[in-house]
Amino acid sequence: MSALDLIQGEADVDDEEGDDSFDEETGEVIRKSNGANGINRAIDDSSEEDEDDEDEDAVRAVREGFIVEDEEDVEERVRRRRESKKRRREEREEEEAGLDDEDLDLIGEANPDFERRAPSEPKLKRLKRGHKEDRDGGPRKGVSDIFDSDDEEEDLPSPRDNQRNFHRTEPRELENEFAGFIEEDFSDNEGRELGDDDAEVARPVSTNLIGVKDAAGLDETALEDMSKVFGTGSEYDWALEIQYQEEQEEQRRPDPEDPDALIKGIELKDVFEPSQLAERMLTDEDNQIRSIDEPERFQIARKPYSHLVLTDEQFKEESIWISNLMLPKKRLEGDLREPFQKSVAKVLEFMITDEYEVPFIFQHRKDYLIHAAKVAVTPDPYNQNGPQYVVSAKKLLNQSDLWDIFDFDLKFRALVDKRNVLQRTYDSLKTLSGFQDSVFEEMLPTAVTMEELQDVQDYLHFQHSSLLTDLAAISGTGVNGTATQRRPGASKMIFERIRNGKVYGLVRAFGITADAFAQNALKKEGRRQYTEDPAERPDDMADSERILDPPDYSSGAQCLRAAKAMFAEEISLSPKMRKVMRQAYYMNGVIECFRTEKGLRKIDEQHPYYEFKYLRNQQLSDIARQPDLFLRMLRAEEEGLVDVRVRLQNHENFKTRLYGDLESDNESEVADAWNRERREALDMALLKLDKIMTRGVKENMKTECENQVAKSCRDEFAKKLDQAPYKPKGMILGTIPRVLALSNGTGTFGKEAICWASVHEDGRVLENGKFVDLALGDPERGTEDGLDVGKLVALVKRRRPDVIGVSGFSTETRKLYKQIEDIVESKDLRGSEYEDEDGNERTDKLEVVIVNDEVARLYQTSERANLEHPGFAPLTKYCVALARYLQNPMKEYASLGGDIVSLSFDPCQRYVPAEKIVRQLETAMVDMVNLCGVDVNDAVSDMYTANLLPFVCGLGHRKASQLLKVINLNGGVVSTRAELVADPVEGRLGAVGPRVWNNCASFLSIDFDSSETESDYLDNTRVHPEDYDLGRKMAADALELDEEDIEAETQENGAGAIVRKLINDDAQEKVNDLILEEYAEQLERNFNQRKRATLETIRAELQQPYEELRRNFALLSTDEIFTMFTGETRDSLCEGMIVPVSIKRVADDFVEAKMDCGIEGTVPAMGISNRPEVSAKQLFAVHQTVQAKITYLNRKQLTANFSLREEDLRRPYRKEIDRMRDEWDEVEEQKDKDSMVEKNDVSGRTQRVIKHPLFKPFSSAQAQEYLGSQSRGDVVIRPSSKGLDHLAVTWKVSDNIYQHIDVLELDKSSQFSSGTTLKIGGRYNYSDLDELIVNHVKAMARKVDEIMLHEKYQSGSKADTERWLTTYTEANPKRSVYAFCISPKYPGFFHLCFKAGQNAKLEAWTVKVVPHAFELKNTMYPDMRALCNGFKLLFQNILNDKRK
C-alpha cells in the first residue's frame, strides 16, 4: 500500500463525512466539516489542533518511509482515477456554462441590492497562506493528487487553473499584475517571509519529472509508468492557451459604471430587470446621457426630437411664433414689442445654438433680457458737466418667462416634426400619382397649432385615402411596418365609393365646394365665391340615369341622402371650416354645467360640488381665471355627477350667417330647392363640427387650467425655497444657527412625553432625549417647577442654541409653544452674544418659533431617517428634521426627491397629473439652487449638499452622480473650477465636458484659500470663468495699477494675483468708485458684448462672494399655523358652520366642548338653549357628541365659541358666491328641491325628514351608490321600510361591502320626530344620532381598519386565502399558519382561516366586528393582539380536549 493510497483513502473518508444535509423547515443546505485535510482547516479552525498534529505526523511518517503499506490493485486505481477525471470534466463544463463567484461579486458592486455570496478571503491570498501551511506541516500534494476527492477542491483553485496561470505568466508578471490589489495586514518581517512564499507560489510548474519523485516519494520507474498512462499534463497546452487569451481579452474591457471593475462576459442587463436598472439610472440610455456633453435636462426634454434640425427660416419662424404666444400675457407697451421679439430670438439662440440652460442665461446673459434706452434730459444751466441723458431700463423677460420659452421650444419642435411628416407624405403622393392639392398646399404652411395640423392631416386622409393605401402598400409599411395611413373605417370606405361613383356628380351639383364655402365664411379679403344652381331640381337630378348607381344607390332618395352626407363630411373636414368654427367657439363659447340623476341625489348644499351644480353661461375667459373651478367640474363629470357642456352663444344667428355664405342668390323654385338641400347638408356638418369643437375646447381649457395650477404650485414652492437659514439677532444673513427642536407629536401636553434634539450648525445631532414635566412653579402659591424644567435650562446653557423650534401634529402643540416661551422668559434664557452697532457685547432672549413641519412629517418614517439615526424614536427624527429645516429649508426640500409631490402647494393640485407638478417644481428648485450656488467640495463629503447637485445648471441626476464619482477618482478634492474638465497632461479625468462645464462652472463654488497659490478668489464667486478677465481688470483699476505692475504681479503670483491683492489689502470697497457704464460701452462697441449687468455682478461679488440673496426665514402666518395644527382651512372651517363637538365639561351656565380637529371652545349660557330655566346639566352630559354652530373662531389661539340653540341649528351654513343674474339656474334648483321632499315613489306615504347632515332620503341601493366613491367608515342615515319608529344606518365596511343597521326609536314625542333613545340589536342604547355614529359605527369602522391593516390579513376572497394557506404549508410542511379575510356576504364579519400543518384540513372560524372589540366564539377581544392570542389559546384547548 503506497502513500498515495493512504491519502486517497483519507479523502474518501472525508467525502462521506462531508455529505450535505438539509433543514426540514427551510430546506437550506447544512454543510458539514471537510475533515482534517481541508486546506483551510489549519487557518480557520483551531478547535482540533492536536488531531491535526497527529495527522501531519502520520503523513510525514509515510513520506519518510517509516510505514510500509501493501500495494493496491492497479485496476482499482485506474478505475477510480477515471471516475474522478470524468467527474472533474463535468464540473468544469458546469463552471464554464455559468457565472463564477467573482463574476457575481463584480455585478454586486454595481448594485448594492444584489444578493452577494458570503465574503471570503481572496483566492491568491488564500493560496499564499495555504502554501505555507502545506509546506510547514500539511501533506504535500504531488502530480497524482490531481485525482483526489472533490472535497479538498472546494477550498483550493483547481490544479488545472494553477497550471494554466503558472505556465503562461512569468513570476514577475504575476507579481506586477496584482501589485497593490490585496492590502496585506502583516508586519515587515512577516511580509518578507510571505514574499518568499509568493515567489514560490508564482514559480512555474516544471513539465519534467525532476522533483516529482521527491514530492511523491516514487522512484523513476514508477514515474515513467505513470507518465505513459496519464501523460505529463502538457498535451492540452494549446487549448488552455486559447482559453486563457479569451479570458484575458474579456478582462480588458472596462465597465462604464465602475472603471476599476472587470467585466467577465456579462452585463448588468443580463442579471437585473430593466425596471431595476431604470430606477437606478443604469440603463444604456442613462450612460449615454452621462457621456454626451450636453445639459442633461436638454437631452431628456429634446429626446423625441433629437432627429430634428431647425433651419434658419424655421428658427426665425419659431421666435415670432413664441413671441405671439407670450405677448398677450406680457401686456407690454407698443414700442417694446419689437425689442421683446428680439429678446426672445436671442434667448432661443442661447438655448439652441449655445446650449445654455435657463439659469446661465438669466445670470450671465441678463443684459439681453432688458431693454435699455438712452433718454435725453434737459441740460442743467448750473451744471455744464451734468449728464446729457439717463438710461431707462425695462425688463422684458424674467426667469419664469425663460422656462416658458424652453417649453414653447419643445412644442414648436413637435409642430415642425409633424408638419415635416405631413409634407413628406404629400410629396410621396405627388410622386406616386402626379396630382396637386391646392387646399393642402395653402393650409399646411399656415398651420400654427397642433389642432390646425391635425385638421390638415384629417383632410389629407379623407380626400386621398385610396392613394395613401396604395402608398403604404408600395412602401411596404401597410402590413408589417408603420403605416402612413390608418386602417379606414366603414364610413371612410363608403365615402370613397361615393367619390369614385356616379353619385358624386350630385355633390358637384351643389354648386360650391366645401373649401370655397369655408373661404366665404372666413370673410378674408378676396373675391367672394358664388354658388351656381343646376338647371334641374335636386330630386329630378337624383332620379336620372347619370346619378343612379345600383345596387347601392338604386333610388333618387338614396342618392340624394348620400350626396348630402358626402357634402356635409367635406365641410366638416375642411381645414378652413374648422378654423371658422374654432374662432367662433373661442370668441363666443360658454361653458355650462348640468347635474345628472346621480348628482341630483349626491350633491347637496353641503357638498363641495354644489358650487357649480346649476352653473350656466360661463365665458371661457372667466373659466381661465378660475382654473380650480373648471378642474373640479371635470372631476365631477368623471364621477358621473355632472355633465360639462360647451355651447356657442347665438348659435342660430351664427348658423343663419353661414347659410348666407353657402346659398345661391338666385330666386327660383329650383334655386330654393337646392338651397334647402344645402342648408340640410350644412346642418349635418355643424352637428359633427360642434362635437369636434366641444371636445377640443374642453381639452384645451383643461390643459390650460392644469398648467396654471402647476405654475401656482411652482410659485408657492419658490416662496418656500426663497428662505435663508433662520437668522438670530446679531448674525449675518446666511449663517447656519444651532437649533434645539421640541415636539409633543399627537400627545396631550403635560401628560405625554416631549421629544427634543439639539442639532449643531454642521447638522450633527449633539444630544436628544425626552421631557415630561415642564410645568412652571408659582412661588406665591408655593409650587415648584416641574422635574424637567431644570433639565431644559441646563440643556440650553450647555448647548447654547441660537433658536428653539417647536412643532407638532395637534392643537396641543400650541400649549407647548406657549409653555416654552414662558420658561424662556421666566428663566431668562438667552442666545449667543453679538456686537451691536456701538461695538458692545450683548445678548437677547432666546427666540422660540413654530416651524413648518411638512418635510419633517415625511422624514420621520422614511428609510433615510432610519439609516441616519437608526436608534432614534420617530418623534426624535421628526425633531431633527425640524432643526435642519431652520438651518436650511432648501436642502430639506431637495432631500425629499420624488416625495416632493406629497406636499400640498395648491388645493387643486390633486386634479393635475403628477408629472406636470414635478416638472414645474423642478424648475423652481433649479432657479433657487443656482441662485445660492453649491460648494462642490462640500457636496463630495455631505449627502445633503450633494442632493443639490442635480439641480445645478447643466447637470442632472446622472451627471451629478458622475461628477462626484470622477472627483473621488481624481483625489476627492477640487482646488479650481478648471479641474472639473479633463486634462490628459496631468492625468486628470474629466468630471464634465466643456459645454456642461460652461453651464455649471459659475454655480459650483470653491472656498478661497489665501495660503494656496492655485486657489483663485473668483472661483468662490458667481462670476463665470469667461468673465474672470473682466474681474481682474476691475480689481486692477480699483487698485490703480498700471500695466507693468499688473504684469509683474501676475508673473510672480499667477493669473489671480490681482484679485488676491485686492482681497489681502482689504480694498474691495474701491470697486464702488469705478464707472461701469463706460466699461459696458467699450465692451459693446469693441467686442459686441452686452455686459452691463454682468459688471454689476462682478462688483458685488468682489465685495462679498456668494452673498446670501434669499429672503429672511419666513415665520408661519396665523392661517398656516391653524392649518398645520388642525388640518382645516378658511374654506373648510369658518364661522356659521355646523359641526359635531364632544362635550368635555358641563356647568349650570356654560358648556365646554371640543371639535374633532382639536379646537376647544365654550358654549355660553345664551347659546345653550332658548329655555333659560333649564340647566345645561339637564340637557347635556360629558362625552356626549352633539351638533353645534360656530359663532366665533379665534384662529390664533385655536379656540371657538359655539351655539347649541335649535333655531341656530335650523339655519345651515351656505357659502356665499357672487354671481351674475344669468349664471345660476335658480328655476332648476328649486324644481330639484321640491322633487326631493315630496312623496316616496314606491309606497306613496310621506317621507321622513330628519334634521341631520348625514340624513338622506335614500333607499338601500341609493345609499350604496352614494357611498360607493367615499371612504371606508362613511355613513348615511336614511328612512327605514320597517315603519316610522325605525331608522336605517348604512355604512361602508369596504369596497362594495355595506352594512345596514336597523335602529329602533323609543321615547318619540310624535311619529315624525326622532326618538330620544336609539336601540340597536337589543344590546346597544344611544341618546342621539351623533352618539350612535361616533360610539357605534365609527367604533366598528376603526376595528375594521385595525383588522385590515394587520399583517395576517389577506385582501383576496376566502378561496384565495385558503389557496395561500395551502401553498404556504406545502412549502413549510411542519408549520401551522392562519390568516384573516373579509366576508362579502355578511358585512361586518371576517373569516379566520387556518391550517395546522401540511396534512391538516383547512378550517375557518367567524370573527364579528362589534363596537370597540372583536367577537370570536362568543368571546370579546379588545384588539388584534388579544384576538390572535385568544385564537391560539382556543385552538390549543380544542387539541387538548381531543387528546383526552
Side-chain angles (χ1 to χ4, degrees), residues 881-1140:
L882 293 178
R884 286 177 172 169
Y885 188 89
L886 281 168
Q887 292 178 336
N888 197 327
M890 183 175 68
K891 284 188 177 181
E892 289 302 297
Y893 284 115
S895 67
L896 289 179
D899 293 335
I900 192 69
V901 292
S902 302
L903 304 183
S904 176
F905 301 101
D906 189 279
C908 288
Q909 132 183 13
R910 62 182 180 275
Y911 303 130
V912 182
E915 55 271 16
K916 281 191 177 182
I917 300 293
V918 170
R919 190 162 57 246
Q920 289 293 333
L921 297 182
E922 183 183 9
T923 62
M925 180 65 78
V926 169
D927 290 346
M928 196 53 58
V929 168
N930 288 281
L931 175 69
C932 301
V934 178
D935 189 314
V936 67
N937 288 311
D938 285 351
V940 174
S941 58
D942 178 41
M943 178 186 66
Y944 279 81
T945 306
N947 289 332
L948 302 176
L949 277 181
F951 306 101
V952 170
C953 180
L955 302 181
H957 291 282
R958 300 160 188 81
K959 288 187 179 294
S961 63
Q962 182 75 3
L963 175 75
L964 294 176
K965 187 174 184 178
V966 174
I967 290 175
N968 283 316
L969 290 174
N970 286 337
V973 178
V974 180
S975 301
T976 64
R977 285 170 172 168
E979 290 183 5
L980 297 174
V981 185
D983 188 344
V985 176
E986 297 184 5
R988 186 175 63 236
L989 299 175
V992 292
R995 280 186 180 271
V996 174
W997 181 83
N998 210 24
N999 273 277
C1000 70
S1002 63
F1003 306 108
L1004 297 176
S1005 65
I1006 300 169
D1007 282 341
F1008 174 65
D1009 186 355
S1010 58
S1011 63
E1012 293 289 338
T1013 56
E1014 293 183 358
S1015 183
D1016 194 329
Y1017 177 85
L1018 294 177
D1019 282 341
N1020 191 34
T1021 67
R1022 292 183 173 91
V1023 180
H1024 194 276
E1026 69 178 8
D1027 297 320
Y1028 278 9
D1029 289 340
L1030 291 178
R1032 292 160 183 162
K1033 175 75 165 87
M1034 290 174 61
D1037 290 348
L1039 293 173
E1040 298 180 356
L1041 300 177
D1042 55 25
E1043 294 184 1
E1044 295 180 357
D1045 295 334
I1046 296 173
E1047 185 176 357
E1049 189 74 27
T1050 302
Q1051 289 180 354
E1052 181 178 354
N1053 297 315
I1058 304 301
V1059 178
R1060 184 190 297 265
K1061 179 177 177 56
L1062 180 74
I1063 304 305
N1064 292 338
D1065 294 349
D1066 197 16
Q1068 296 98 312
E1069 292 186 359
K1070 290 184 178 181
V1071 296
N1072 292 326
D1073 299 332
L1074 300 176
I1075 303 176
L1076 299 183
E1077 194 63 43
E1078 295 181 1
Y1079 278 99
E1081 290 179 356
Q1082 291 177 11
L1083 288 172
E1084 187 169 5
R1085 182 172 55 252
N1086 298 332
F1087 303 100
N1088 195 26
Q1089 294 180 354
R1090 297 167 65 178
K1091 292 284 187 178
R1092 182 65 180 85
T1094 301
L1095 294 174
E1096 286 290 351
T1097 299
I1098 295 174
R1099 173 153 63 184
E1101 292 297 313
L1102 287 174
Q1103 297 180 75
Q1104 188 170 352
Y1106 260 106
E1107 178 185 3
E1108 180 61 74
L1109 298 180
R1110 287 175 291 181
R1111 300 176 183 177
N1112 284 338
F1113 187 89
L1115 299 179
L1116 294 176
S1117 65
T1118 298
D1119 283 349
E1120 289 171 335
I1121 295 174
F1122 180 83
T1123 300
M1124 186 172 70
F1125 288 162
T1126 66
E1128 304 286 352
T1129 64
R1130 286 192 174 272
D1131 291 333
S1132 64
L1133 189 68
C1134 62
E1135 296 174 358
M1137 286 186 172
I1138 298 175
V1139 295

Side-chain angles (χ1 to χ4, degrees), residues 213 218-228:
K213 176 177 67 173
L218 302 178
D219 56 16
E220 294 184 1
T221 305
L223 288 174
E224 271 188 55
D225 294 340
M226 184 183 66
S227 62
K228 290 178 181 179

